[in-house]
Amino acid sequence: MEARFYKGHTNLLDDYHLLSFDALDSTNEEAKRLARAGGAHGAVVWAKKQTGGKGRMGREWVSQEGNLFVSLLLKPEKPAAELAQLSFVASIAVVEALADMFGSNHKLTCKWPNDVLLDGKKLAGILLESFPCEKDGKQWLVAGVGVNVDSHPDAAQFPATCLTEAGVELVSAKIVLSRFIHHFIECYNEWENKGFAPIRKRWMANAWGMKKDITARLADCDIHGTAEDIDATGALVMKLAGGKKRVVHAADIFPAEKENA
């Protein structure tokens, strides 16, 4: 396997500022504490390890040192209904930050609603949490991102991988962070200025599972069908048996033949 070596820039742009910690319970929780204590939009909370990392639906996020754990504190000038679109912004930023680390025999894809896959295995996950600002009632949003750099969990709901397993050497969480933030700021500004349409287009160009048979696992049932599209709001459009369409706003999705993975 060919080894590939990378360096990264460390300067943040605009009004983004980095807060670095050796350890935190959760970078998302620290970002929320910061907001409540008077913090500003653009805080980037980075911890070398987490003792209470979490993923979607309250699941544990394994947080071994050497991987990237970062949360961005944001105050978008957007309606609350559109804030979930930032999962797509973050996914595209991860893909574009890492794309040139791999040879042509590897493929990065975006898995709805909040994962980035490498060769069909989970490399990164995103957790969005929103809450109102006490002063003006507007919404804060925390975008938490975890990237498997040096290691990955062996027992996971969806098969996982990491950068070193893919042959990327001399890469660190700090390098991945600086590259990710650079791309995130660019994507975030495009979303704020031009809306979801250009982000959706970029996401769809890297989408996993489109036009494939999948299982969507909701809180109370599983839905089987074909992933047809992502609509203008970011919801998943599925085609069910008999041709009926179903719009799914929140679920975990799996290949149909591996629905029990």
Side-chain angles (χ1 to χ4, degrees), residues 7-20:
K7 296 181 179 179
H9 48 78
T10 56
N11 293 329
L12 300 188
L13 305 176
D14 302 329
D15 27 339
Y16 289 75
H17 48 287
L18 178 65
L19 302 172
S20 177

Side-chain angles (χ1 to χ4, degrees), residues 50-69:
Q50 297 181 121
T51 58
K54 59 184 179 178
R56 289 180 65 243
M57 302 182 182
R59 289 191 287 262
E60 178 188 9
W61 183 270
V62 178
S63 303
Q64 295 183 7
E65 189 166 354
N67 292 337
L68 175 63
F69 318 109

Side-chain angles (χ1 to χ4, degrees), residues 109-190:
T109 50
C110 298
K111 175 176 172 285
W112 186 90
N114 68 326
D115 293 334
V116 174
L117 307 184
L118 174 62
D119 301 331
K121 296 181 179 181
K122 185 169 178 175
L123 179 68
I126 294 140
L127 175 64
L128 302 183
E129 296 185 275
S130 61
F131 54 98
C133 175
E134 294 180 358
K135 291 183 179 180
D136 58 16
K138 292 184 178 180
Q139 289 288 313
W140 282 103
L141 187 132
V142 175
V145 178
V147 181
N148 297 332
V149 179
D150 286 343
S151 64
H152 63 82
D154 294 322
Q157 190 176 37
F158 199 91
T161 189
C162 62
L163 294 179
T164 56
E165 189 171 79
V168 181
E169 297 187 357
L170 295 187
V171 66
S172 67
K174 184 177 182 180
I175 289 172
V176 175
L177 170 65
S178 64
R179 294 166 67 96
F180 164 72
I181 293 299
H182 175 81
H183 287 276
F184 181 88
I185 293 170
E186 184 270 322
C187 292
Y188 182 87
N189 289 343
E190 181 174 46

Side-chain angles (χ1 to χ4, degrees), residues 23 31 35-36 56 107-108 126 132 137 142 145 147 164 176 189 191 195-196 210 212 214 220-221 237 255:
R36 295 180 179 118
R56 289 180 65 243
K107 185 174 179 62
L108 285 164
I126 294 140
V142 175
V145 178
V147 181
T164 56
V176 175
N189 289 343
W191 174 74
F196 182 54
M210 286 296 133
K212 304 290 185 181
I214 64 166
D220 57 349
C221 67
V237 181

Side-chain angles (χ1 to χ4, degrees), residues 209-223:
M210 286 296 133
K211 310 302 180 184
K212 304 290 185 181
D213 291 336
I214 64 166
T215 293
R217 188 163 296 161
L218 282 68
D220 57 349
C221 67
D222 288 356
I223 301 172

Side-chain angles (χ1 to χ4, degrees), residues 2-7 100-101 167-171:
E2 179 189 1
R4 301 173 71 85
F5 303 87
Y6 287 89
K7 296 181 179 179
D100 65 352
M101 290 188 175
V168 181
E169 297 187 357
L170 295 187
V171 66

